[in-house]
Amino acid sequence: MSLDGLALALLFAGVLLWATGLLPQQAAGDVTERVVPLVAFLFAAVVLAELAGQAQVFDVAATWMARLGRGSYPVLFVLCVLLCSFTTIALNLDTTAVLLTPVMLALAHRVGIAAVPLAMTTVWLANTASLLFPVSNLTNLLAADRVALEPLEMAGVMWAPQAVSILVTMVFLWVLYWRRGRRGEAAYLPPAPPRIADPWLFGVCAAACAGFLLLILLWDVPLWAASWGAALVSLAVFAARGRDRLRASWRQLVPWRLLALVPGMLLVVTWLSSLGLDRLLGALTGTDDGLGGMLRAAAAGAGLSNVINNLPAYLAGEVAIPAGNHRQLLALLIGVNVGPLVTTFASLATLIWFDRCRAAGVHVPKGPFALAGLGLAVTAVTASTLALHLAA
């Protein structure tokens, strides 16, 4: 089934469950109340990122990254990790999948290097670098509401597991995809300096992205308000200087697939929870808020993410964990963020990434992808959970 078909099928199933009463009305109302702010934020964040992409913000960043590498693969590797991690942390993992994937694949073609190492860097860090801020992942927004953590407070708790998950990801990326024996080349040819088609569009959209990050970190501005403000500023400059582009690309600008997938998945998993999924997860995670319970919660979250997707896996796991077990809940968050690396549907970012790779003609075999992802998921989830335990 295509990504479009999956989005429509899940939304239809969720609405049907609600309309027929198979999903209890109270449960449906509760999940809707939580989903609406998430969808509002997601809509604006994707619009902001899409406009920034059209204004060449990501393309210029990637090109200068390759120029700074000066033909050195190790330097390019570190710069790719920094770009993908920063984009995920600051603008959401789905932004990394939607916009950085085609940019990185185009960059590989432009400088004459293998596309798969850059593609794997993008998809793995879209997941494993999404722990630090509420904005980095929709699961974080749900968890931040439960544990009452503001952005800087969440960063203060999650910095250690975030650093560990990125470092472990770097080791796996280098050994499996970037080392000399895997990439096949000793050096690459740096690209020419980027040409910015419209400096005003570029400057305003880059400033809007930076302003969005500053608003959520330094001022107590709701995420939906910060994202909508930055998106409207970008829309305004496009309306003044790039109206033809807006008309030509409005279908890509509106993230309707994500807007259908998110509420559809959450409604369906709420129905599954009413049938006993939460009790099954409760048996898997236990009620211990110590290291044992944290490891169980992280493993359950990672495993279920690769079966039904990480968003519904978090929602189901949250119900199963006692209200006061904040460390166990954050361990679950590590599992559902860092662990969805095995199956193609484990996270929305991975789904989008596969779709973008297919459109660019880059073939990623699913068997080796799953095997490599399993090794990284087990190692990174365990190490990050231990880091959370030690830092707490």
Side-chain angles (χ1 to χ4, degrees):
M1 181 183 292
S2 69
L3 187 54
D4 292 353
L6 177 63
L8 291 174
L10 283 171
L11 182 61
F12 176 78
V15 172
L16 184 65
L17 289 168
W18 192 350
T20 57
L22 291 173
L23 176 62
Q25 295 298 309
Q26 181 62 45
D30 291 343
V31 75
T32 301
E33 186 178 347
R34 300 186 71 183
V35 163
V36 168
L38 296 184
V39 171
F41 157 73
L42 180 64
F43 182 93
V46 172
V47 169
L48 169 63
E50 186 69 44
L51 291 173
Q54 291 189 30
Q56 298 178 269
V57 171
F58 299 104
D59 186 57
V60 167
T63 301
W64 276 109
M65 175 188 70
R67 286 181 61 78
L68 287 172
R70 297 186 177 183
S72 168
Y73 266 100
V75 175
L76 180 64
F77 169 67
V78 172
L79 292 172
C80 284
V81 168
L82 290 175
L83 178 62
C84 292
S85 298
F86 178 79
T87 304
T88 300
I89 289 168
L91 292 175
N92 190 273
L93 78 165
D94 298 319
T95 294
T96 301
V98 169
L99 295 174
L100 269 196
T101 300
V103 166
M104 298 292 265
L105 295 178
L107 178 67
H109 176 74
R110 193 182 311 156
V111 301
I113 63 178
V116 172
L118 275 76
M120 293 302 300
T121 303
T122 306
V123 70
W124 274 1
L125 286 166
N127 290 285
T128 63
S130 66
L131 286 172
L132 197 62
F133 295 136
V135 69
S136 306
N137 200 321
L138 293 183
T139 55
N140 296 1
L141 292 174
L142 293 168
D145 180 59
R146 167 84 174 263
V147 298
L149 289 175
E150 296 296 329
L152 289 179
E153 292 174 327
M154 185 169 187
V157 173
M158 299 299 283
W159 70 267
Q162 179 64 96
V164 168
S165 67
I166 291 176
L167 287 173
V168 172
T169 304
M170 290 178 69
V171 171
F172 271 76
L173 282 169
W174 183 262
V175 172
L176 296 178
Y177 296 103
W178 279 84
R179 62 185 172 87
R180 176 68 186 274
R182 301 293 295 177
R183 66 177 186 257
E185 300 291 341
Y188 69 92
L189 183 65
R195 294 183 178 181
I196 300 174
D198 190 322
W200 272 99
L201 285 178
F202 173 83
V204 171
C205 289
C209 291
F212 164 68
L213 183 59
L214 291 174
L215 282 174
I216 63 173
L217 291 181
L218 303 182
W219 290 280
D220 189 19
V221 178
L223 281 173
W224 68 267
S227 59
W228 273 94
L232 289 174
V233 168
S234 300
L235 278 170
V237 72
F238 262 89
R241 301 183 64 89
R243 195 170 299 174
D244 291 341
R245 287 198 230 177
L246 281 181
R247 281 196 291 264
S249 62
W250 69 269
R251 291 181 184 275
Q252 290 78 24
L253 197 62
V254 179
W256 73 267
R257 287 186 298 189
L258 294 180
L259 300 182
L261 274 167
V262 172
M265 281 194 300
L266 295 184
L267 286 170
V268 169
V269 80
T270 302
W271 172 67
L272 292 173
S273 292
S274 71
L275 297 180
L277 179 61
D278 55 347
R279 293 189 293 276
L280 172 62
L281 275 173
L284 292 174
T285 60
T287 59
D288 176 19
D289 201 30
L291 178 59
M294 293 168 67
L295 289 171
R296 289 175 63 178
L304 190 60
S305 293
N306 287 289
V307 175
I308 65 170
N309 186 270
N310 69 328
L311 270 176
Y314 171 79
L315 196 65
E318 181 190 71
V319 176
I321 291 175
N325 288 15
H326 289 178
R327 297 202 310 165
Q328 194 180 20
L329 186 72
L330 292 174
L332 171 69
L333 193 65
I334 290 173
V336 300
N337 284 15
V338 179
L341 303 173
V342 181
T343 60
T344 61
F345 49 83
S347 71
L348 295 180
T350 307
L351 270 171
I352 295 167
W353 176 82
F354 262 103
D355 192 52
R356 292 292 169 114
C357 286
R358 191 182 304 113
V362 176
H363 176 63
V364 181
K366 293 181 180 179
F369 174 86
L371 189 60
L374 177 62
L376 175 57
V378 171
T379 307
V381 168
T382 303
S384 299
T385 305
L386 290 171
L388 175 65
H389 172 70
L390 294 173

